[in-house]
Amino acid sequence: MKLRHPVLDKTIGLVGATAVRLWMRTLEYKAAFYDPQVDPVHPQCRGQKIYVFWHEYILVPLALRGHSNLAMLLSKHHDAELLSHAARHLGFEFVRGSTNRGGVTALRECLEKSRKMNLAITPDGPRGPRRVLAQGPIYLASRLQMPLVLMGIGCDRPWRAKSWDRFAIPRPYTRVRGVISPEIHIPAELDRDGIEHYRLEAQRLLNRLCAEAEAWAESGTRKIEQSHIRREPAPLRRTRIDASHQAHAARNGASQPVH
């Protein structure tokens, strides 16, 4: 029997957010971008995007990209309730539900949020299978005509929880690395076969980026055009974005295929 109380959940969320800030502050962060302008804090970042990363590395975006105009899709499980409180303290908004459980409500909220905000999704959460990308991000990208940005994240020999995702807990004063894709545009109005095709392609690419980031973090080597990453908010002037401009660009071929 699990003890649940709103005040207790909020307290745990606050403590968790504080712990994440202090713990993750000790780490060295570097990233390699195919296009630096996909970073929501980049001065030239334009248009809303769907950022996708594996559930096991959720601590890294939470620590680095709060107050960056991001709404995170979280399930309705109790663990996600605690995470939602921590995410709020760290500067995220969130949508509760998934494309399977509470799907209609979640999709409506994602549609509403996407008019002014980026979305962040862990596509193998909340219960796995580990590193298997669900159809939700592909469906949303097709339905909302928002580009995907796939974020391969790796830590230097992290501690691993005995959970379905082998949740990664970075060791203090170690390396964290990211390899980030360019915008990936998914065709509109995909049928089931089309969604499955792009799901498999995106899953392969995200796993490849993640493997590259993990090898980079462990080796400590240097990458061409690597950049140091720190926690910083997005410029306020980008919170108002013309969604019609984004849709127009997508219709006129400003797209990056999945390889």
Side-chain angles (χ1 to χ4, degrees), residues 5-157:
H5 191 281
V7 174
L8 178 61
D9 287 349
K10 291 179 181 180
T11 301
I12 293 174
L14 175 59
V15 172
T18 302
V20 168
R21 285 194 187 99
L22 295 176
W23 189 278
M24 303 296 283
R25 192 178 296 169
T26 69
L27 305 174
E28 178 197 70
Y29 300 97
K30 291 182 181 178
F33 291 88
Y34 283 85
D35 176 6
Q37 293 182 21
V38 302
D39 189 340
V41 305
H42 193 283
Q44 300 303 316
C45 184
R46 294 291 185 271
Q48 297 93 325
K49 310 178 199 326
I50 302 175
Y51 295 91
V52 178
F53 47 91
W54 294 133
H55 191 273
E56 64 202 79
Y57 287 119
I58 196 171
L59 288 180
V60 176
L62 282 176
L64 292 179
R65 286 300 175 259
H67 303 288
S68 296
N69 203 34
L70 281 160
M72 188 172 291
L73 180 62
L74 300 173
S75 76
K76 292 187 175 182
H77 291 280
H78 181 234
D79 291 348
E81 179 70 22
L82 299 177
L83 181 59
S84 71
H85 292 301
R88 182 184 289 110
H89 288 295
L90 290 165
F92 288 81
E93 292 190 26
F94 54 88
V95 174
R96 300 302 303 274
S98 68
T99 53
N100 295 320
R101 185 181 179 185
V104 175
T105 301
L107 287 174
R108 286 175 179 168
E109 288 193 45
C110 284
L111 177 60
E112 182 64 28
K113 294 286 189 184
S114 70
R115 291 170 180 164
K116 294 184 179 181
M117 301 190 73
N118 303 296
L119 302 178
I121 299 177
T122 56
D124 57 344
R127 299 296 179 189
R130 179 180 185 244
R131 298 194 183 185
V132 173
L133 194 140
Q135 292 186 345
I138 306 302
Y139 175 81
L140 284 173
S142 177
R143 172 70 175 79
L144 303 178
Q145 280 301 278
M146 292 172 66
L148 297 174
V149 176
L150 306 182
M151 301 170 59
I153 300 170
C155 303
D156 178 18
R157 295 163 294 168

Side-chain angles (χ1 to χ4, degrees), residues 120-245:
I121 299 177
T122 56
D124 57 344
R127 299 296 179 189
R130 179 180 185 244
R131 298 194 183 185
V132 173
L133 194 140
Q135 292 186 345
I138 306 302
Y139 175 81
L140 284 173
S142 177
R143 172 70 175 79
L144 303 178
Q145 280 301 278
M146 292 172 66
L148 297 174
V149 176
L150 306 182
M151 301 170 59
I153 300 170
C155 303
D156 178 18
R157 295 163 294 168
W159 291 308
R160 293 279 184 177
K162 294 181 179 179
S163 56
W164 65 267
D165 61 348
R166 299 186 63 220
F167 191 80
I169 304 172
R171 299 171 185 266
Y173 303 101
T174 57
R175 295 179 293 271
V176 176
R177 300 292 185 261
V179 182
I180 317 300
S181 81
E183 290 187 354
I184 298 170
H185 292 266
I186 305 296
E189 305 301 330
L190 286 177
D191 59 15
R192 288 187 179 184
D193 290 340
I195 289 174
E196 178 63 11
H197 169 77
Y198 283 97
R199 183 195 74 80
L200 290 172
E201 292 298 305
Q203 178 177 288
R204 291 189 192 102
L205 179 54
L206 181 54
N207 276 325
R208 190 165 76 229
L209 295 174
C210 192
E212 184 178 348
E214 289 173 333
W216 182 20
E218 290 186 14
S219 68
T221 55
R222 177 180 177 82
K223 276 189 177 292
I224 296 174
E225 296 184 355
Q226 69 179 26
S227 57
H228 286 276
I229 302 295
R230 64 182 185 274
R231 178 180 173 86
E232 55 185 320
L236 292 177
R237 65 183 176 83
R238 285 207 313 276
T239 58
R240 295 182 179 178
I241 302 172
D242 183 1
S244 64
H245 174 75

